[in-house]
Amino acid sequence: MDSRVRDIPYMLYADRQGRVYDHPYFRMAGFSGHRPVPVAPEDLIPMPEFSKLFYIPFGHPVGLNPSTGEYEIVTEVGAGGSRVPCYGVAAFLEPGLVRSLLPAVHYRSKGQTLPMWAYTAVGFMDGQYRVPAFRIEYNHKWDPRNYDDRKLSSALRRYRKRWGGGSLLDHLVGCATSNHCFAAKNLFLGRWEAPLPVSRTCNANCLGCLSLQRDPSCTASHQRISFKPSREEIVALAVRHLDQAEEAIVSFGQGCEGEPLTEHVLMAESIKEMRKRTAKGTINLNTNGSWPDRIRVLAESGLDSIRISINSARPDLYRAYYRPRGYDFEDVAASIALSRELGLYTMVNYLVFPGISDQEEEIEALMDLIRKTGLNFVHLKNLCIDPRLYLKKMPRHEAPGVGMKKMVEILEHEFPDLELGYFNQPVQRSKN
């Protein structure tokens, strides 16, 4: 057996009940796009404490046979004199980590869509789960250890007692308690970044939309807001948070809404009123960047920062994922450049996927976008989507990926002043 194979963790598999086991012989594999690729032991880390394991009930795991060095589909394993069917296992990483490889799974006839999570390869060795990933940023404000729901319950009671109720407040209580949204919890805990959802509708039809899924086999992970909040309640919630919270940010554009630019008039009026009442904190917008003219209105109203989401800097891949209605990738690129020109702290929420995001053609397109727009910050966010669905819908670009770590190294070398990370930043603490 090759010495490097001995350092590769064992493959994980699940039985019909979703119970997870390590295989006694096969080693873990990982996929980069459609391809199985070698797992480099130096690229593995212990799976962080607040990550999760999932099993894939309609896909068999693909493992590395240590005797032959070949990748094989493992359909069953012997147990107690019988044969037990094997199903794939994946990890979902805690915030701040970028996955390097997808789970190695061979799907059979697959009539279901997996829920919208960022599925990551995972193995087991020396008493530890191990994942191919690296930390792009640690931020204590998003550490799961700081989100103890035993503290949240009392904070909710105090908030309601002091400030009363309201439709938007009630919605955010649901976000904090049912959807476990960290930003919504922050509102009631009086700290850091808090959400201001405003939009019921969207001008895109994203494959991985978190708040609207028409496929009955894949339930949306967030409940989309069903009403238009009043300017008065938006302003009241925001000003209280901006005035009193530590390192305060309020953000339009959440997982529980559509595209906030569809409510740009409401946002502009609200931002103007916020800034009449307080100069503290950061007012941020998370958006698809589809209407540059509306972004100009918001910037002139007092917006501080903007984060524009893309899955790719290549127009054909962008269109295949976002499925935009009434705008195109050129509008998004124009919005990024305009935001920087208007003095907004400008971020791109880059939804990354191993085997696509790290293709040389994609890296070149991203670097071209950075050069043309001069943006401040690139967030590297693992794209939450069924891997097979994404690969099926993307235009086929057959070039192999160079590796997610290598992609980051290239960006760091080419753009030493560009910030790379995972989380929104208060404007006053960021580079200009």
Side-chain angles (χ1 to χ4, degrees), residues 114-279:
L114 291 171
M116 299 301 164
W117 298 93
Y119 298 91
T120 305
V122 59
F124 190 82
M125 176 175 272
D126 298 330
Q128 288 185 318
Y129 297 109
R130 296 186 176 272
V131 291
F134 58 95
R135 185 170 291 283
I136 194 67
E137 181 183 353
Y138 174 76
N139 188 322
H140 74 281
K141 290 180 288 187
W142 299 102
D143 190 320
R145 295 163 188 81
N146 291 322
Y147 291 86
D148 188 334
D149 282 353
R150 291 171 293 186
K151 297 179 180 178
L152 177 66
S153 298
S154 57
L156 281 167
R157 289 193 296 270
R158 288 194 303 270
Y159 197 98
R160 282 192 179 279
K161 183 177 181 180
R162 183 173 182 185
W163 303 112
S167 299
L168 182 56
L169 180 65
D170 291 343
H171 173 82
L172 291 172
V173 168
C175 292
T177 56
S178 298
N179 295 332
H180 295 283
C181 170
F182 283 8
K185 293 180 183 186
N186 283 338
L187 177 71
F188 303 110
L189 294 167
R191 65 189 190 185
W192 309 331
E193 184 174 359
L196 293 174
V198 293
S199 175
R200 296 162 289 175
T201 60
C202 194
N203 59 343
N205 185 22
C206 300
L207 288 173
C209 181
L210 299 178
S211 65
L212 184 64
Q213 287 294 327
R214 304 189 189 283
D215 183 344
S217 73
C218 176
T219 305
S221 57
H222 290 54
Q223 182 179 359
R224 181 176 289 189
I225 194 168
S226 60
F227 59 93
K228 181 177 179 177
S230 70
R231 183 186 67 181
E232 292 73 22
E233 189 176 7
I234 292 169
V235 172
L237 285 173
V239 171
R240 285 197 293 266
H241 193 76
L242 292 169
D243 262 344
Q244 299 171 17
E246 172 192 358
E247 297 185 278
I249 305 174
V250 291
S251 283
F252 299 101
Q254 303 297 310
C256 62
E257 64 176 310
E259 169 49 45
L261 287 177
T262 62
E263 294 288 355
H264 77 289
V265 173
L266 174 60
M267 285 194 293
E269 292 173 348
S270 300
I271 292 168
K272 287 177 184 177
E273 189 60 31
M274 291 175 207
R275 283 308 181 212
K276 287 179 183 177
R277 300 189 192 184
T278 182

Side-chain angles (χ1 to χ4, degrees), residues 319-370:
R319 295 184 194 109
Y321 176 77
Y322 280 88
R323 298 184 290 186
R325 297 189 290 254
Y327 77 96
D328 209 338
F329 181 77
E330 290 72 22
D331 299 297
V332 178
S335 289
I336 298 169
L338 178 64
S339 297
R340 191 72 181 101
E341 177 186 322
L342 293 170
L344 298 179
Y345 186 74
T346 305
M347 302 170 281
V348 161
N349 194 40
Y350 188 44
L351 306 174
V352 296
F353 190 92
I356 292 182
S357 304
D358 56 336
Q359 289 178 326
E360 290 184 353
E361 184 181 351
E362 175 66 24
I363 296 170
E364 287 294 334
L366 178 61
M367 291 196 298
D368 187 54
L369 181 68
I370 295 168

Side-chain angles (χ1 to χ4, degrees), residues 295-316:
I295 289 172
R296 181 182 292 277
V297 171
L298 295 171
E300 292 171 350
S301 299
L303 188 70
D304 297 302
S305 65
I306 190 167
R307 187 176 69 170
I308 296 175
S309 290
I310 62 173
N311 70 309
S312 174
R314 291 177 279 182
D316 58 338

